[in-house]
Amino acid sequence: GVVDGILEDVLQDLESEADDEVRKRKRLRDLGSVHAEDHRWDLKLPLTSEVRSTVEVLVQSMGTLLEDLVSRDAILAELACIVSDPGAKQQPLHADTLRIGSACAPSLTVFVPLQDTRASMGPTILCQGTHNLSSHLSLFKCEQVFMPQDVIVKKHRGLPAVSSSGTAIIMNSNLLHCGGANLPAEMGGSRRRLLYVTFQTPDNTPDRSSFSLREELLEELHLSDFDGGAPLQHPLDSQRKALLLGSLRGDSEAMIEFGLLLQSRGDPGAVEYFRKAALNKNAKGFALLADVFERGELGIPKNPEEAAKLRNFG
């Protein structure tokens, strides 16, 4: 009931807002970007006492598993709930972080259905063993020839995660997956709520423009804040937070400065923010990307030909 109440308040607030710009800002504050958004919402959760307690129980129920995978220093990168209603269509297959052109270590997402999830409710479809470059290249080729989504999912061995309420599903952020189709009510569809929390491996900062986390929580919390272990000190890096926030808001100069900051710290995510700036038509983004390929750094193989192409584009 908590999730439904928060979502209802958010949607009512958006509907009653007459100013288009204010409505846009509110939507960005409360809802994440989601594929196939009709009858589907990506609700950014506030860290209320109830939500925090839920995350603590979830993390602590796994013992040291999450610590072993991403360390207690891992940053909280997402805290949200996907809600889909009957009529929501199947999403296109995708990965939350890409192996193409990136050397970032994957983040780790834990999904928890908040009700028993039948096949007719469109459970998440997971493609086992696809968290690698070859699978991402395969998906790209399928999309280039406009292959139907059901064929793409079958080709990549997708299986629906039919599960009981409270079942934890741990996913590498490179894994190919998608939300399934929530059928009409008369065919067994009904509201599906999927809580999820993502922790980001330290010193690996992927493009987080599609990540769902309320701004006030950005860079504020770590795995150690939820696991019940001895407290760890994580002084807030105000420069990093400000530049990341500017990047997420679409400021190409912030993308450049954030990329340079990450580069100075040896974080391979610098490449992704140079690329974001280039895609926003910032010439310096092309130049910095070209330098990376020219030298072969941040996990990117040396490629003078690609560097020359990037300089020409810039």
Side-chain angles (χ1 to χ4, degrees), residues 31-304:
L31 297 173
S33 173
V34 64
H35 296 283
E37 63 182 11
D38 287 347
H39 306 289
R40 181 182 277 113
W41 303 271
D42 187 11
L43 179 65
K44 299 178 182 179
L45 294 176
L47 194 65
T48 62
S49 58
E50 193 165 13
V51 171
R52 181 168 195 135
S53 177
T54 298
V55 177
E56 289 173 347
V57 170
L58 172 62
V59 169
Q60 293 172 31
S61 71
M62 298 184 186
T64 64
L65 178 59
L66 299 183
E67 176 185 349
D68 294 342
L69 292 171
V70 293
S71 89
R72 298 186 71 217
D73 293 312
I75 297 172
L76 176 70
E78 292 187 290
L79 177 60
C81 187
I82 293 284
V83 181
S84 73
D85 278 345
K89 295 183 178 180
Q90 181 176 308
Q91 295 177 315
L93 199 63
H94 63 279
D96 292 338
T97 56
L98 294 175
R99 296 305 307 159
I100 300 174
S102 173
C104 276
S107 302
L108 194 72
T109 297
V110 183
F111 295 114
V112 181
L114 301 182
Q115 71 292 301
D116 293 346
T117 304
R118 305 180 301 274
S120 58
M121 296 166 66
T124 304
I125 297 170
L126 304 170
C127 300
Q128 185 176 358
T130 58
H131 51 298
N132 51 61
L133 178 59
S134 61
S135 295
H136 289 200
L137 291 172
S138 171
L139 175 61
F140 177 73
K141 291 176 182 177
C142 291
E143 292 172 336
Q144 290 294 101
V145 297
F146 302 102
M147 187 178 291
Q149 279 297 315
D150 57 341
V151 178
I152 295 177
V153 169
K154 185 175 181 179
K155 175 180 174 64
H156 293 90
R157 305 178 304 282
L159 294 173
V162 175
S163 53
S164 301
S165 177
T167 301
I169 302 167
I170 303 175
M171 185 187 78
N172 179 309
S173 63
N174 293 155
L175 192 81
L176 300 182
H177 66 286
C178 64
N182 198 327
L183 300 181
E186 59 270 21
M187 298 176 66
S190 62
R191 172 162 285 191
R192 179 175 75 101
R193 308 159 193 84
L194 185 68
L195 171 72
Y196 67 99
V197 57
T198 298
F199 290 100
Q200 176 187 308
T201 306
D203 303 318
N204 286 266
T205 310
D207 176 7
R208 287 172 55 176
S209 57
S210 65
F211 281 24
S212 293
L213 185 72
R214 294 183 68 89
E215 284 190 357
E216 66 267 22
L217 301 179
L218 193 69
E219 300 286 293
E220 294 285 342
L221 296 160
H222 299 75
L223 181 63
S224 61
D225 293 309
F226 301 98
D227 67 4
L232 296 180
Q233 295 300 314
H234 294 103
L236 179 63
D237 187 333
S238 55
Q239 181 187 21
R240 175 187 162 93
K241 179 172 180 174
L243 291 174
L244 174 57
L245 185 55
S247 300
L248 295 177
R249 290 176 174 173
D251 182 343
S252 66
E253 288 302 320
M255 295 171 195
I256 292 292
E257 292 303 315
F258 189 48
L260 289 170
L261 177 67
L262 296 179
Q263 186 179 41
S264 72
R265 299 177 179 181
D267 187 325
V271 176
E272 303 203 26
Y273 287 89
F274 294 155
R275 184 180 294 113
K276 280 173 64 68
L279 290 173
N280 276 270
K281 301 181 180 179
N282 187 309
K284 192 172 182 180
F286 282 104
L288 289 166
L289 260 185
D291 289 343
V292 170
F293 279 92
E294 187 77 45
R295 295 191 291 261
E297 60 183 16
L298 297 170
I300 301 299
K302 187 173 182 178
N303 189 333

Side-chain angles (χ1 to χ4, degrees), residues 5-23:
I6 296 173
L7 179 60
E8 183 178 357
D9 289 344
V10 166
L11 295 180
Q12 286 182 351
D13 186 33
L14 291 174
E15 186 176 354
S16 63
E17 180 55 64
D19 187 294
D20 288 344
E21 282 302 313
V22 174
R23 187 187 310 112

